[in-house]
Amino acid sequence: MEYTGTDLNYLHVCPRKLWLFRHGIRQERENDLVQLGVLLGEQSFSREKKEIAIGEAGVLDWADFKDGVIHETKHGKAPGEGDEAQVRYYLFYLNMHGIRANRAVIHYPKKRETTTVEWNENSFRQVEEDLQACKTVLAGPIPAATRRPYCRHCAYEEMCFI
Ligand code: SF4
């Protein structure tokens, strides 16, 4: 099974969200949020922005391959583990395909913050663990709905709790 950066992001946000998304159960709002992220990325970094598709893994917002740096823009207000897992997978995918990528910078325009994720042996192991965890979640039954702070921002909230 091919995985995407979004899959690894959802794994860390909520395994149930990953399961619903990968089983084709998608709320329109989920698409709206993705579109919002695209629009925000375009507005915030229109000069540098140059999207680069990387196979099934996803789309880089822009990259400087001379320095081995990739960039991702997030519309969320707070840095999170899911965002880091997503770009770590992009670094994994590129390096596994012979393209040097040393680090990823995640931009949070709303907070005017950035987070940097380095590519190293530990990152490699983390991605391998994440891929195994995705496989385990998707092979099983739907995970139980467990209330967490993120739920109020999640497109699946009504489906989970009403
Ligand atoms: S509403 Fe909460 S429990 Fe349901 S999928 Fe979203 S994050 Fe997970």
Side-chain angles (χ1 to χ4, degrees), residues 21-84:
F21 191 77
R22 280 303 295 248
H23 283 79
I25 301 163
R26 297 176 190 185
Q27 301 270 56
E28 277 309 303
R29 196 176 140 218
E30 192 64 34
N31 292 332
D32 291 348
L33 289 174
V34 170
Q35 290 306 318
L36 176 63
V38 168
L39 185 65
L40 189 68
E42 282 172 359
Q43 287 175 344
S44 304
F45 301 101
S46 54
R47 255 182 257 152
E48 300 97 329
K49 198 169 157 56
K50 191 176 176 188
E51 287 189 344
I52 302 160
I54 50 170
E56 297 298 315
V59 178
L60 305 178
D61 281 345
W62 80 93
D64 178 353
F65 288 112
K66 183 165 54 69
D67 295 328
V69 184
I70 65 172
H71 296 268
E72 173 77 12
T73 311
K74 291 294 183 190
H75 67 268
K77 284 188 180 164
E81 263 182 50
D83 297 343
E84 293 179 24

Side-chain angles (χ1 to χ4, degrees), residues 14 16-17 20 145-146 148 150-151 154 156-157 160-161:
C14 171
R16 180 178 171 91
K17 183 174 172 107
L20 286 163
T146 306
R148 57 189 84 215
Y150 176 79
C151 293
C154 180
Y156 294 111
E157 188 180 22
C160 291
F161 296 107

